[in-house]
């Protein structure tokens, strides 16, 4: 027996207990398997996997292909006279595909949201740097082209661009608060001068 090709005992135990629990309708705590039974189940599953994959491979080669597909597995089950497993397996495969599509969609949306947030953060940081440079110029007495409240408009356009990069999905609200805070700081700076 090749220990590298053995199925993990914990997985075999979990699968067996889950199935027996389904059949008995009780908790799995009263189900015990001795080591030899667990080894026999694991070895049986390994042999079945080898038989099924070899048969599917033969079917695949007969069709002059090198990659085994789900249809090859289903045809192999039919050929090995396990056709009663096919309908359940088809349902499980469809559920798996739907689950994978949902995960991919969720991951894609998450990536888009992170990219939009990063772009918005970069725009806000750029606006903050511009505003700081503008304030430094005012303190030094250097007039800037943005004097007269136009600097605020530049910040507002950056905030609007950040909101647009988010696709209008509600991320502009924190940016609006920051815009108001900047406006309040400008008013405070003007009254202090």
């Amino acid at each position: 027996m090749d220990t590298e090709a053995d199925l993990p005992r914990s997985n075999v135990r979990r699968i067996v207990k889950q199935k027996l629990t389904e059949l008995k309708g009780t908790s799995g705590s009263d189900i015990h398997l001795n080591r030899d039974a667990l080894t026999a189940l694991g070895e049986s599953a390994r042999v079945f996997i080898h038989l099924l994959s070899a048969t599917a491979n033969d079917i695949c080669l007969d069709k002059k292909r090198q990659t085994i597909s789900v249809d090859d597995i289903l045809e192999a089950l039919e050929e090995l006279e396990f056709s009663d497993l096919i309908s359940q397996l088809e349902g499980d495969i469809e559920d798996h595909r739907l689950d994978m599509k949902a995960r991919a969609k969720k991951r894609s949306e998450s990536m888009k949201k992170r990219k939009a947030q990063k772009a918005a953060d970069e725009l806000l940081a750029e606006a903050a740097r511009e505003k700081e440079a503008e304030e430094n110029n005012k303190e030094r007495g250097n007039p800037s082209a943005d004097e007269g409240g136009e600097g605020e408009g530049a910040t507002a356009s950056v905030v609007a661009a950040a909101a647009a990069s988010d696709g209008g999905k509600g991320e502009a609200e924190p940016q609006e608060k920051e815009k108001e805070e900047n406006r309040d700081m400008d008013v405070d700076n003007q009254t202090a001068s």
Side-chain angles (χ1 to χ4, degrees):
M1 187 163 75
D2 183 15
T3 56
E4 283 187 26
D6 287 346
L7 295 172
R9 285 186 178 179
S10 60
N11 289 353
V12 174
R13 179 181 292 115
R14 181 178 41 81
I15 292 168
V16 170
K17 283 192 172 194
Q18 181 181 2
K19 187 60 179 176
L20 292 177
T21 300
E22 285 176 20
L23 294 174
K24 291 176 94 177
T26 61
S27 70
S29 61
D30 63 339
I31 300 169
H32 300 285
L33 296 166
N34 70 25
R35 181 173 284 191
D36 292 338
L38 204 54
T39 302
L41 283 167
E43 185 64 18
S44 299
R46 189 174 71 83
V47 168
F48 180 73
I49 290 169
H50 285 180
L51 177 63
L52 185 60
S53 60
T55 305
N57 187 50
D58 291 342
I59 291 168
C60 186
L61 292 175
D62 288 344
K63 294 179 180 180
K64 298 182 181 7
R65 289 185 288 110
Q66 293 182 350
T67 304
I68 297 173
S69 69
V70 172
D71 293 333
D72 298 327
I73 300 291
L74 296 175
E75 195 173 327
L77 284 170
E78 184 81 37
E79 191 173 304
L80 294 170
E81 299 179 6
F82 285 103
S83 55
D84 53 329
L85 297 177
I86 293 174
S87 62
Q88 180 181 352
L89 183 59
E90 286 175 330
D92 290 345
I93 290 169
E94 185 60 31
D95 290 345
H96 176 72
R97 285 179 178 160
L98 293 173
D99 186 42
M100 290 291 100
K101 283 182 183 178
R103 285 183 186 184
K105 183 178 180 182
K106 191 174 185 179
R107 191 169 37 248
S108 173
E109 289 173 356
S110 176
M111 295 268 299
K112 286 179 184 177
K113 189 173 183 178
R114 273 185 280 185
K115 284 181 181 179
Q117 184 61 43
K118 184 177 178 183
D121 290 345
E122 288 173 358
L123 289 171
L124 289 173
E126 178 64 28
R129 284 191 295 270
E130 288 175 5
K131 183 172 177 116
E132 186 177 325
E134 183 179 311
E135 288 174 1
N136 287 339
N137 285 338
K138 284 181 183 178
E139 287 176 5
R140 291 184 198 142
N142 296 339
S144 68
D146 289 337
E147 276 188 333
E150 289 179 22
E152 216 174 286
T155 303
S157 66
V158 170
V159 171
S165 72
D166 185 33
K169 293 185 181 175
E171 292 294 325
E173 205 171 295
Q175 297 159 355
E176 290 296 326
K177 287 181 182 177
E178 188 169 327
K179 178 181 166 186
E180 288 178 26
E181 290 172 4
N182 289 341
R183 197 176 308 134
D184 291 342
M185 287 174 41
D186 285 344
V187 169
D188 290 342
N189 289 340
Q190 289 174 356
T191 55
S193 299

